[in-house]
Amino acid sequence: MKLFCYSLLLASLLTAQPSAAQSVSRTGTPAAAVQPTVLHGPYLQQVTPTSIQIRWRTDIPATSRVDLFSDRKKTQKIVSDDKLVTEHEVRLDGLKPATKYFYSFGDKTSVTPADDQFFVTAPKTGATDEVRFWVLGDFGNSSQTQADVRDAVMKESRRPDLWVWLGDNAYSKGKDEEFEKHVFDVYGQTHFKNLPFYCIPGNHDYGGQRTDFNIPYFNLFTMPTAGEAGGVPSGSESYYAFDYGNVHFVALDSYGKLDGTHFLWDTTGRQVEWLKKDLAANKQPWTIVVLHHPPYTKGSHDSDREKDLVAIRQNLVPILERYQVDLVLSGHSHVYERTHPIRGHYGLVDTFEPKNIVSAAVEGDTKEYRVGNGKQGIIYIVAGSGGQRGGQAAGWPMPAAVYSNNTEGGSLLIDVKKTRMQVRWLCQDGKVRDDFSILK
Ligand SMILES: [Fe+2]
C-alpha cells in the first residue's frame, strides 16, 4: 500500500497538481464513501528554526499523516497519528533552519501532494538572514479591500517569510463560519499552504465578550505557550513571544479579561508580569510588539476617549519604553497611522510636543532613523485597513503622526536585514504610501 501511494505521490509532484477541492480521493481513484473531505487547510503554525505544525480540518474523524520532502523526490520523514480527529495537528521536529521543505498530508492510507504545499523554517535564532514579515490587521470581512490588499502583496517580487495578524481577524463575531468564509476561503489557495503565521485576538474575535475563552480563535490556532519559538514561556494562548531571525516578537491580548480579573492594562496582571520578564530576558537586536488596541489613534477609534486605549497608553507604554521596543503594531482603528519615534507621550493626543520625539535621525528626516546612544523612541503604527477601511475621530490626523491615511486599504511589509529594518505600507492599489527605515 505504501509503495502504491508513494509512486502516485511522486507522479503527482512531477505532473499536474490536484484541484483546490480535496473532497475527491487523494489517491486519484473515485472517492470512497468513508473518505474524509478536507474542509480547510492545510495551514502552518508555530514555525521555529527546527519545527512547524501543520493543521487541517476534515468533515469526519480520520487519522493524520504528513510526509516531508526536502527535494520533492526524497521522502525525509513521515509523521502520523492514529487518533481519529477532525482537527488535525501534526508537529514536525528535527528540521534544519532556513530550509524549504515540501509536504503531503492526509490520513494514514493516502496523502495529497501539491507543488504549493511547502514551508521554509525560521532562520537560526539571532541569525542575520534577510527576512520579510507581512503584517495584516482588521481583515476578515470578504470585502474587495481584503482581496486587493492580499493581491498587492502577491504581486511583490519577494514573498514574505512570515505572516502576522493584528486581530479582528474574522468579522463580525469571530464565529467559526466567519473564519471559514472570511479567512480560510480568502487565503486558502494563496497563502495558507505555504506561509506560516502568528496571530493575536481582537475584540471581534472574542465576539465582543471578554471572559469566555472557548472561542473559535483559540480552537483554530496554535500558540507557542511554552516558549517553543523563543522568549519566556507564557503559559497562555492569549499572549506569547517568538523569535524570527534576529527579531523578537511579543504578541499581546488587549481585549480578554484574563483569569477573569485582569485586562492588559492592569499592570499587576499575569500578562504584564510575563511581558516584563520576557522583555528583560530578550537579547535580540530588534523587538516588535503587536497588540490589537493602539495607544495612539484618531481613526475609527479614538485614543483620547476610549477606556482601553487610554489605559494602555498610560499604563503599558511606559513599560514598552523601558525595554527599548522598536515598533508597536496595532489595528482596531480601520486606518493607517505612523508616529514619530516617541517617548513620554501619555496624555491626550494634543499634548504631544516635539520633545517627545527621541531619535538620532537628522532633524526633520522622517524616512530614516538611526538608533544609538540611548536615543530611541518607539514608532507606533496602526495598520487596521487590511479589509476594513475608513473612519475619522475629532483631532485627525494626530500631531504625533508622521503620516496618516483613512481612505486606502493596505498592509505592512517589514524587511529586516542585519542592522536595517525597512517598513513599507503597501496599499491595495499596489502603491507604497508610507515607508521608513530604522538603523542600529
Ligand atoms: Fe477591533
Side-chain angles (χ1 to χ4, degrees), residues 52-80:
I52 200 163
Q53 288 207 21
I54 301 179
R55 294 190 61 166
W56 67 97
R57 174 184 288 176
T58 51
D59 61 337
I60 56 172
T63 57
S64 311
R65 174 175 142 193
V66 169
D67 293 10
L68 196 66
F69 308 87
S70 52
D71 60 1
R72 302 196 197 190
K73 289 180 184 169
K74 192 177 163 201
T75 310
Q76 209 173 54
K77 187 190 277 270
I78 297 174
V79 179
S80 61

mmCIF file of all heavy atoms in Angstrom, residues 52-80:
data_model
loop_
_atom_site.group_PDB
_atom_site.id
_atom_site.type_symbol
_atom_site.label_atom_id
_atom_site.label_comp_id
_atom_site.label_asym_id
_atom_site.label_seq_id
_atom_site.Cartn_x
_atom_site.Cartn_y
_atom_site.Cartn_z
ATOM 1 N N ILE A 52 7.675 22.887 12.955
ATOM 2 C CA ILE A 52 6.476 23.569 12.468
ATOM 3 C C ILE A 52 5.285 22.666 12.768
ATOM 4 O O ILE A 52 5.455 21.460 12.984
ATOM 5 C CB ILE A 52 6.580 23.854 10.951
ATOM 6 C CG1 ILE A 52 5.627 24.957 10.524
ATOM 7 C CG2 ILE A 52 6.339 22.585 10.135
ATOM 8 C CD1 ILE A 52 5.950 25.557 9.172
ATOM 9 N N GLN A 53 4.086 23.242 12.798
ATOM 10 C CA GLN A 53 2.880 22.432 12.927
ATOM 11 C C GLN A 53 2.032 22.624 11.686
ATOM 12 O O GLN A 53 1.833 23.760 11.246
ATOM 13 C CB GLN A 53 2.065 22.846 14.149
ATOM 14 C CG GLN A 53 2.711 22.429 15.441
ATOM 15 C CD GLN A 53 1.710 22.237 16.552
ATOM 16 O OE1 GLN A 53 0.531 22.036 16.314
ATOM 17 N NE2 GLN A 53 2.189 22.293 17.781
ATOM 18 N N ILE A 54 1.532 21.519 11.162
ATOM 19 C CA ILE A 54 0.636 21.586 10.005
ATOM 20 C C ILE A 54 -0.751 21.181 10.484
ATOM 21 O O ILE A 54 -0.914 20.140 11.129
ATOM 22 C CB ILE A 54 1.125 20.656 8.879
ATOM 23 C CG1 ILE A 54 2.537 21.075 8.462
ATOM 24 C CG2 ILE A 54 0.162 20.691 7.692
ATOM 25 C CD1 ILE A 54 3.150 20.236 7.371
ATOM 26 N N ARG A 55 -1.726 22.024 10.190
ATOM 27 C CA ARG A 55 -3.090 21.765 10.650
ATOM 28 C C ARG A 55 -4.057 21.723 9.474
ATOM 29 O O ARG A 55 -3.868 22.392 8.473
ATOM 30 C CB ARG A 55 -3.547 22.863 11.640
ATOM 31 C CG ARG A 55 -2.768 22.854 12.941
ATOM 32 C CD ARG A 55 -3.415 23.773 13.971
ATOM 33 N NE ARG A 55 -4.778 23.354 14.291
ATOM 34 C CZ ARG A 55 -5.472 23.808 15.345
ATOM 35 N NH1 ARG A 55 -4.931 24.703 16.155
ATOM 36 N NH2 ARG A 55 -6.706 23.389 15.577
ATOM 37 N N TRP A 56 -5.122 20.965 9.621
ATOM 38 C CA TRP A 56 -6.229 20.990 8.683
ATOM 39 C C TRP A 56 -7.461 20.401 9.355
ATOM 40 O O TRP A 56 -7.370 19.801 10.428
ATOM 41 C CB TRP A 56 -5.893 20.239 7.387
ATOM 42 C CG TRP A 56 -5.706 18.758 7.512
ATOM 43 C CD1 TRP A 56 -6.629 17.778 7.268
ATOM 44 C CD2 TRP A 56 -4.508 18.057 7.887
ATOM 45 N NE1 TRP A 56 -6.082 16.534 7.471
ATOM 46 C CE2 TRP A 56 -4.787 16.678 7.838
ATOM 47 C CE3 TRP A 56 -3.211 18.465 8.259
ATOM 48 C CZ2 TRP A 56 -3.835 15.697 8.162
ATOM 49 C CZ3 TRP A 56 -2.268 17.483 8.569
ATOM 50 C CH2 TRP A 56 -2.574 16.131 8.523
ATOM 51 N N ARG A 57 -8.606 20.598 8.739
ATOM 52 C CA ARG A 57 -9.877 20.103 9.296
ATOM 53 C C ARG A 57 -10.543 19.178 8.283
ATOM 54 O O ARG A 57 -10.570 19.486 7.090
ATOM 55 C CB ARG A 57 -10.812 21.274 9.612
ATOM 56 C CG ARG A 57 -12.205 20.840 10.068
ATOM 57 C CD ARG A 57 -13.129 22.023 10.279
ATOM 58 N NE ARG A 57 -12.778 22.782 11.473
ATOM 59 C CZ ARG A 57 -13.383 23.913 11.842
ATOM 60 N NH1 ARG A 57 -14.358 24.419 11.092
ATOM 61 N NH2 ARG A 57 -13.014 24.541 12.937
ATOM 62 N N THR A 58 -11.068 18.065 8.781
ATOM 63 C CA THR A 58 -11.844 17.171 7.909
ATOM 64 C C THR A 58 -13.289 17.093 8.393
ATOM 65 O O THR A 58 -13.591 17.437 9.544
ATOM 66 C CB THR A 58 -11.241 15.748 7.893
ATOM 67 O OG1 THR A 58 -11.059 15.302 9.247
ATOM 68 C CG2 THR A 58 -9.900 15.741 7.178
ATOM 69 N N ASP A 59 -14.166 16.638 7.496
ATOM 70 C CA ASP A 59 -15.591 16.581 7.840
ATOM 71 C C ASP A 59 -15.915 15.430 8.774
ATOM 72 O O ASP A 59 -16.863 15.507 9.553
ATOM 73 C CB ASP A 59 -16.444 16.493 6.563
ATOM 74 C CG ASP A 59 -16.147 15.246 5.754
ATOM 75 O OD1 ASP A 59 -15.038 14.678 5.906
ATOM 76 O OD2 ASP A 59 -17.006 14.834 4.967
ATOM 77 N N ILE A 60 -15.143 14.349 8.691
ATOM 78 C CA ILE A 60 -15.364 13.210 9.588
ATOM 79 C C ILE A 60 -14.046 12.860 10.281
ATOM 80 O O ILE A 60 -12.978 13.160 9.756
ATOM 81 C CB ILE A 60 -15.897 11.973 8.809
ATOM 82 C CG1 ILE A 60 -14.919 11.617 7.682
ATOM 83 C CG2 ILE A 60 -17.303 12.222 8.278
ATOM 84 C CD1 ILE A 60 -15.241 10.305 6.984
ATOM 85 N N PRO A 61 -14.121 12.253 11.449
ATOM 86 C CA PRO A 61 -12.884 11.897 12.144
ATOM 87 C C PRO A 61 -12.021 10.974 11.289
ATOM 88 O O PRO A 61 -12.530 10.048 10.652
ATOM 89 C CB PRO A 61 -13.373 11.190 13.412
ATOM 90 C CG PRO A 61 -14.763 11.715 13.617
ATOM 91 C CD PRO A 61 -15.324 11.924 12.242
ATOM 92 N N ALA A 62 -10.732 11.263 11.276
ATOM 93 C CA ALA A 62 -9.804 10.464 10.475
ATOM 94 C C ALA A 62 -8.437 10.483 11.137
ATOM 95 O O ALA A 62 -8.168 11.317 12.004
ATOM 96 C CB ALA A 62 -9.719 11.040 9.058
ATOM 97 N N THR A 63 -7.583 9.570 10.714
ATOM 98 C CA THR A 63 -6.194 9.593 11.179
ATOM 99 C C THR A 63 -5.458 10.734 10.472
ATOM 100 O O THR A 63 -5.983 11.341 9.544
ATOM 101 C CB THR A 63 -5.504 8.253 10.862
ATOM 102 O OG1 THR A 63 -5.600 8.032 9.450
ATOM 103 C CG2 THR A 63 -6.160 7.113 11.619
ATOM 104 N N SER A 64 -4.232 11.020 10.906
ATOM 105 C CA SER A 64 -3.452 12.136 10.335
ATOM 106 C C SER A 64 -2.107 11.623 9.864
ATOM 107 O O SER A 64 -1.507 10.751 10.503
ATOM 108 C CB SER A 64 -3.203 13.215 11.391
ATOM 109 O OG SER A 64 -4.377 13.569 12.059
ATOM 110 N N ARG A 65 -1.649 12.213 8.790
ATOM 111 C CA ARG A 65 -0.302 11.863 8.335
ATOM 112 C C ARG A 65 0.276 13.005 7.498
ATOM 113 O O ARG A 65 -0.435 13.618 6.700
ATOM 114 C CB ARG A 65 -0.348 10.593 7.483
ATOM 115 C CG ARG A 65 0.979 10.243 6.840
ATOM 116 C CD ARG A 65 0.887 8.918 6.116
ATOM 117 N NE ARG A 65 1.636 8.931 4.883
ATOM 118 C CZ ARG A 65 1.528 8.009 3.936
ATOM 119 N NH1 ARG A 65 0.687 7.005 4.096
ATOM 120 N NH2 ARG A 65 2.247 8.083 2.843
ATOM 121 N N VAL A 66 1.547 13.287 7.717
ATOM 122 C CA VAL A 66 2.276 14.263 6.899
ATOM 123 C C VAL A 66 3.559 13.602 6.417
ATOM 124 O O VAL A 66 4.285 12.994 7.203
ATOM 125 C CB VAL A 66 2.605 15.545 7.689
ATOM 126 C CG1 VAL A 66 3.576 16.422 6.905
ATOM 127 C CG2 VAL A 66 1.337 16.329 8.000
ATOM 128 N N ASP A 67 3.801 13.688 5.118
ATOM 129 C CA ASP A 67 5.066 13.224 4.535
ATOM 130 C C ASP A 67 5.892 14.452 4.177
ATOM 131 O O ASP A 67 5.368 15.398 3.586
ATOM 132 C CB ASP A 67 4.826 12.404 3.265
ATOM 133 C CG ASP A 67 4.131 11.078 3.559
ATOM 134 O OD1 ASP A 67 3.667 10.883 4.700
ATOM 135 O OD2 ASP A 67 4.045 10.263 2.636
ATOM 136 N N LEU A 68 7.144 14.408 4.501
ATOM 137 C CA LEU A 68 8.012 15.569 4.293
ATOM 138 C C LEU A 68 9.074 15.242 3.248
ATOM 139 O O LEU A 68 9.653 14.157 3.260
ATOM 140 C CB LEU A 68 8.688 15.891 5.623
ATOM 141 C CG LEU A 68 9.335 17.249 5.768
ATOM 142 C CD1 LEU A 68 8.288 18.347 5.726
ATOM 143 C CD2 LEU A 68 10.089 17.298 7.097
ATOM 144 N N PHE A 69 9.307 16.196 2.361
ATOM 145 C CA PHE A 69 10.305 16.010 1.292
ATOM 146 C C PHE A 69 11.258 17.191 1.306
ATOM 147 O O PHE A 69 10.832 18.330 1.420
ATOM 148 C CB PHE A 69 9.633 15.981 -0.083
ATOM 149 C CG PHE A 69 8.504 15.005 -0.172
ATOM 150 C CD1 PHE A 69 7.221 15.377 0.205
ATOM 151 C CD2 PHE A 69 8.731 13.726 -0.612
ATOM 152 C CE1 PHE A 69 6.174 14.478 0.143
ATOM 153 C CE2 PHE A 69 7.686 12.816 -0.683
ATOM 154 C CZ PHE A 69 6.410 13.186 -0.307
ATOM 155 N N SER A 70 12.523 16.901 1.145
ATOM 156 C CA SER A 70 13.468 18.005 1.100
ATOM 157 C C SER A 70 13.687 18.477 -0.329
ATOM 158 O O SER A 70 13.973 19.632 -0.577
ATOM 159 C CB SER A 70 14.795 17.602 1.718
ATOM 160 O OG SER A 70 15.248 16.405 1.126
ATOM 161 N N ASP A 71 13.528 17.573 -1.300
ATOM 162 C CA ASP A 71 13.829 17.958 -2.673
ATOM 163 C C ASP A 71 12.749 17.489 -3.645
ATOM 164 O O ASP A 71 13.008 17.283 -4.821
ATOM 165 C CB ASP A 71 15.186 17.410 -3.089
ATOM 166 C CG ASP A 71 15.208 15.876 -3.006
ATOM 167 O OD1 ASP A 71 14.173 15.287 -2.655
ATOM 168 O OD2 ASP A 71 16.259 15.299 -3.304
ATOM 169 N N ARG A 72 11.559 17.279 -3.171
ATOM 170 C CA ARG A 72 10.401 16.828 -3.939
ATOM 171 C C ARG A 72 10.480 15.364 -4.346
ATOM 172 O O ARG A 72 9.547 14.848 -4.931
ATOM 173 C CB ARG A 72 10.200 17.663 -5.218
ATOM 174 C CG ARG A 72 10.020 19.128 -4.939
ATOM 175 C CD ARG A 72 9.443 19.778 -6.154
ATOM 176 N NE ARG A 72 9.608 21.206 -6.092
ATOM 177 C CZ ARG A 72 9.026 22.042 -6.923
ATOM 178 N NH1 ARG A 72 8.246 21.585 -7.870
ATOM 179 N NH2 ARG A 72 9.208 23.330 -6.814
ATOM 180 N N LYS A 73 11.581 14.740 -4.117
ATOM 181 C CA LYS A 73 11.701 13.347 -4.555
ATOM 182 C C LYS A 73 11.970 12.419 -3.379
ATOM 183 O O LYS A 73 11.435 11.345 -3.294
ATOM 184 C CB LYS A 73 12.822 13.211 -5.580
ATOM 185 C CG LYS A 73 12.467 13.830 -6.908
ATOM 186 C CD LYS A 73 13.588 13.678 -7.901
ATOM 187 C CE LYS A 73 13.216 14.406 -9.203
ATOM 188 N NZ LYS A 73 14.334 14.535 -10.108
ATOM 189 N N LYS A 74 12.797 12.886 -2.495
ATOM 190 C CA LYS A 74 13.230 12.006 -1.417
ATOM 191 C C LYS A 74 12.384 12.228 -0.173
ATOM 192 O O LYS A 74 12.380 13.319 0.391
ATOM 193 C CB LYS A 74 14.699 12.311 -1.122
ATOM 194 C CG LYS A 74 15.359 11.302 -0.236
ATOM 195 C CD LYS A 74 16.828 11.671 -0.070
ATOM 196 C CE LYS A 74 17.407 10.938 1.111
ATOM 197 N NZ LYS A 74 18.602 11.580 1.600
ATOM 198 N N THR A 75 11.657 11.217 0.227
ATOM 199 C CA THR A 75 10.874 11.332 1.454
ATOM 200 C C THR A 75 11.826 11.406 2.631
ATOM 201 O O THR A 75 12.671 10.544 2.801
ATOM 202 C CB THR A 75 9.957 10.107 1.645
ATOM 203 O OG1 THR A 75 9.250 9.885 0.441
ATOM 204 C CG2 THR A 75 8.988 10.329 2.779
ATOM 205 N N GLN A 76 11.669 12.468 3.409
ATOM 206 C CA GLN A 76 12.602 12.644 4.502
ATOM 207 C C GLN A 76 12.045 12.144 5.821
ATOM 208 O O GLN A 76 12.760 11.703 6.693
ATOM 209 C CB GLN A 76 12.953 14.124 4.618
ATOM 210 C CG GLN A 76 14.329 14.309 5.172
ATOM 211 C CD GLN A 76 14.745 15.739 5.145
ATOM 212 O OE1 GLN A 76 14.037 16.599 5.661
ATOM 213 N NE2 GLN A 76 15.878 16.013 4.558
ATOM 214 N N LYS A 77 10.729 12.258 5.920
ATOM 215 C CA LYS A 77 10.137 11.946 7.209
ATOM 216 C C LYS A 77 8.650 11.697 7.006
ATOM 217 O O LYS A 77 8.021 12.341 6.155
ATOM 218 C CB LYS A 77 10.326 13.165 8.107
ATOM 219 C CG LYS A 77 9.922 12.985 9.554
ATOM 220 C CD LYS A 77 9.921 14.338 10.256
ATOM 221 C CE LYS A 77 11.256 14.808 10.747
ATOM 222 N NZ LYS A 77 11.612 14.431 12.088
ATOM 223 N N ILE A 78 8.106 10.764 7.749
ATOM 224 C CA ILE A 78 6.658 10.552 7.752
ATOM 225 C C ILE A 78 6.208 10.607 9.205
ATOM 226 O O ILE A 78 6.767 9.909 10.053
ATOM 227 C CB ILE A 78 6.269 9.192 7.146
ATOM 228 C CG1 ILE A 78 6.689 9.132 5.668
ATOM 229 C CG2 ILE A 78 4.765 8.958 7.278
ATOM 230 C CD1 ILE A 78 6.484 7.781 5.029
ATOM 231 N N VAL A 79 5.252 11.480 9.479
ATOM 232 C CA VAL A 79 4.712 11.568 10.839
ATOM 233 C C VAL A 79 3.227 11.260 10.765
ATOM 234 O O VAL A 79 2.508 11.867 9.955
ATOM 235 C CB VAL A 79 4.926 12.972 11.446
ATOM 236 C CG1 VAL A 79 4.342 13.034 12.847
ATOM 237 C CG2 VAL A 79 6.409 13.318 11.471
ATOM 238 N N SER A 80 2.784 10.344 11.568
ATOM 239 C CA SER A 80 1.362 10.002 11.521
ATOM 240 C C SER A 80 0.807 9.838 12.931
ATOM 241 O O SER A 80 1.550 9.728 13.903
ATOM 242 C CB SER A 80 1.145 8.728 10.706
ATOM 243 O OG SER A 80 1.829 7.661 11.326
#
